[in-house]
Amino acid sequence: TGLTVSGRVYNANLDAPLSGTASVTPLSGALGIDVVTLSGSASGSFADKNVGIGKAVTVSGLTLAGADAPNYKPVPPSGLQADITPLAIHGDVTVADKVYDATTAATIVTRTLTGAMAGDDVNYSGGTASFADKEVAIGKTVMASGLSPSRWARFSVTRIPSSTPVATKSPNTCSATLFGKPGIGIDS
């Protein structure tokens, strides 16, 4: 008894943060109080490293000591539970420059995630991007949406910064000859 466990953010490990001091209550009876104490250092562990709510925690590292210790069987605390919450990581996208085409469509060139735990295979996939408007400009704001990291339950993407591509008018020119009826002016 005497131990509590706290939840934590995903860290790719099984460790569960314990607090308090473990204690044992020896039996007392007609022959007095048995001499039994705890020794060692308590450590808590989740069954797996994955994000979850109300995950069971096991305690290890404690042993019984004292003259009457052989008469007792250690029973680890039961009912200890804690949450593992998703780790916030950062997502970045780059989009291609484009020639003016009267749309806001943008093409995602790269997707990058930073902040994931070493050894975790995490990547960005899917998604679409669009310029803030269809007008030509340098350094236009681009919004990306629909992107998701693999192993999504372990991570939450906290930002997708705007990229700064260039939308330019085509260097090619287009000419057309307009024909009108006599007496009707044609505006160009």
Side-chain angles (χ1 to χ4, degrees), residues 1 21-26 36-38 64-65 72:
T1 63
T21 302
S23 63
V24 61
T25 305
V36 180
T37 59
L38 285 175
L64 295 176
Y72 289 85

Side-chain angles (χ1 to χ4, degrees), residues 5-16:
V5 64
S6 301
R8 64 164 174 79
V9 174
Y10 173 79
N11 66 6
N13 293 308
L14 301 178
D15 63 300

Side-chain angles (χ1 to χ4, degrees), residues 50-116:
N50 299 319
V51 169
I53 296 172
K55 296 178 66 102
V57 174
T58 57
V59 176
S60 61
L62 296 172
T63 57
L64 295 176
D68 296 308
N71 298 325
Y72 289 85
K73 177 181 177 186
V75 177
S78 62
L80 290 177
Q81 295 181 338
D83 301 341
I84 298 177
T85 57
L87 172 67
I89 57 177
H90 299 284
D92 294 297
V93 297
T94 56
V95 299
D97 291 350
K98 78 176 215 176
V99 173
Y100 179 80
D101 65 359
T103 72
T104 60
T107 302
I108 297 174
V109 177
T110 63
R111 298 162 180 86
T112 307
L113 291 172
T114 56

Side-chain angles (χ1 to χ4, degrees), residues 13-185:
N13 293 308
L14 301 178
D15 63 300
L18 296 176
S19 58
T21 302
S23 63
V24 61
T25 305
L27 295 175
S28 61
L31 300 175
I33 297 177
D34 285 350
V35 178
V36 180
T37 59
L38 285 175
S39 66
S41 179
S43 63
S45 298
F46 289 102
D48 62 53
K49 68 179 184 175
N50 299 319
V51 169
I53 296 172
K55 296 178 66 102
V57 174
T58 57
V59 176
S60 61
L62 296 172
T63 57
L64 295 176
D68 296 308
N71 298 325
Y72 289 85
K73 177 181 177 186
V75 177
S78 62
L80 290 177
Q81 295 181 338
D83 301 341
I84 298 177
T85 57
L87 172 67
I89 57 177
H90 299 284
D92 294 297
V93 297
T94 56
V95 299
D97 291 350
K98 78 176 215 176
V99 173
Y100 179 80
D101 65 359
T103 72
T104 60
T107 302
I108 297 174
V109 177
T110 63
R111 298 162 180 86
T112 307
L113 291 172
T114 56
M117 300 306 297
D120 276 351
D121 180 21
V122 184
N123 55 52
Y124 237 172
S125 62
T128 59
S130 60
F131 288 95
D133 60 49
K134 67 180 185 173
E135 304 308 318
V136 173
I138 295 174
K140 294 187 65 89
T141 298
V142 175
M143 297 303 297
S145 63
L147 294 154
S148 59
S150 61
R151 310 277 193 265
W152 61 270
R154 294 183 192 160
F155 305 97
S156 63
V157 178
T158 57
R159 69 178 171 89
I160 302 172
S162 298
S163 185
T164 54
V166 178
T168 59
K169 291 245 184 199
S170 172
N172 301 324
T173 57
C174 180
S175 61
T177 304
L178 299 175
F179 297 97
K181 295 183 180 180
I184 301 176

